């Protein structure tokens, strides 16, 4: 029994094993989050009269998976005690991937909502088939602007000149 405890302590003192455990735990947690979304949320959304909520929940599967996995990767980087430029680059890459995955999901979910609103002319008169491209383009520009801002912030680039030029424009 003492040998097993000693081996366990040796493993836990190895940062690469701890980091691997964090990555594996992140993958397991991400799959679990995806499973909960599919089994619970999608089961609930199937009971509604429209398929919009089903499509939104399906659109959130990948971003939720990537976000939970990113937390595992962040913890693995902490376990490895990486500092300086390698840590900055690794964190930046993980954050950038998460931002881009969320941007794609938000862009498509926004388009789904706008198309659904345009189809329901009895409720929203300002979103109709002829104004749909205007609102869809505006939504995508808004998401793209948010992505640019978040990516610049992620890589510690000064966003003030960009914000000032956007305000002037």
């Amino acid at each position: 029994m003492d040998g097993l405890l000693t081996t366990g302590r040796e493993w836990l003192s190895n940062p690469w094993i701890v980091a691997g455990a964090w990555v594996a735990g992140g993958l397991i947690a991400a799959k679990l989050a995806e499973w909960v979304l599919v089994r619970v949320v999608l089961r609930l959304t199937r009971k509604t009269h429209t398929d919009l909520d089903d499509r939104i929940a399906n659109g959130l599967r990948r971003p939720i998976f990537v976000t939970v996995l990113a937390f595992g990767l962040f913890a693995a980087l902490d376990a490895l005690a990486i500092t300086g430029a390698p840590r900055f680059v690794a964190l930046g890459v993980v954050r950038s991937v998460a931002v881009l995955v969320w941007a794609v999901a938000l862009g498509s979910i926004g388009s789904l909502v706008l198309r659904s609103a345009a189809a329901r002319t009895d409720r929203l008169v300002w979103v109709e088939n002829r104004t749909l491209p205007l609102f869809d383009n505006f939504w995508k520009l808004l998401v793209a602007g948010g992505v640019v801002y978040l990516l610049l912030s992620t890589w510690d680039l000064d966003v003030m000149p960009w914000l000032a030029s956007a305000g002037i424009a």
Side-chain angles (χ1 to χ4, degrees):
M1 184 69 167
D2 287 335
L4 184 62
L5 288 174
T6 304
T7 304
R9 285 189 195 110
E10 288 174 7
W11 282 9
L12 291 177
S13 67
N14 184 338
W16 289 99
I17 292 176
V18 174
W22 275 112
V23 171
L27 275 170
I28 292 168
K31 286 306 263 181
L32 182 64
E34 185 180 38
W35 181 82
V36 167
L37 181 73
V38 170
R39 297 287 184 220
V40 176
V41 175
L42 285 177
R43 186 172 290 161
L44 291 174
T45 61
R46 287 189 188 115
K47 294 179 182 180
T48 60
H49 299 293
T50 66
D51 70 332
L52 177 64
D53 50 358
D54 299 324
R55 295 165 70 186
I56 289 172
N58 272 325
L60 291 174
R61 285 173 75 171
R62 180 170 288 131
I64 289 173
F65 180 87
V66 168
T67 301
V68 174
L69 179 60
F71 283 115
L73 294 174
F74 291 152
L77 285 171
D78 283 341
L80 290 174
I82 296 174
T83 60
R87 178 181 178 80
F88 176 75
V89 170
L91 289 175
V93 168
V94 172
R95 287 180 185 147
S96 296
V97 168
V99 165
L100 292 173
V101 168
W102 274 102
V104 169
L106 288 176
S108 62
I109 288 171
S111 294
L112 284 172
V113 170
L114 287 170
R115 278 193 299 254
S116 176
R120 303 288 311 249
T121 56
D122 58 329
R123 291 195 180 173
L124 293 173
V125 294
W126 49 273
V127 179
E128 53 190 37
N129 285 333
R130 65 187 173 126
T131 59
L132 178 62
L134 173 72
F135 286 109
D136 193 43
N137 287 339
F138 178 73
W139 173 250
K140 288 178 181 170
L141 280 173
L142 190 67
V143 170
V147 165
V148 169
Y149 174 79
L150 288 172
L151 288 175
L152 289 172
S153 296
T154 293
W155 293 101
D156 284 342
L157 299 172
D158 189 15
V159 295
M160 292 312 266
W162 186 74
L163 291 175
S165 64
I168 292 170

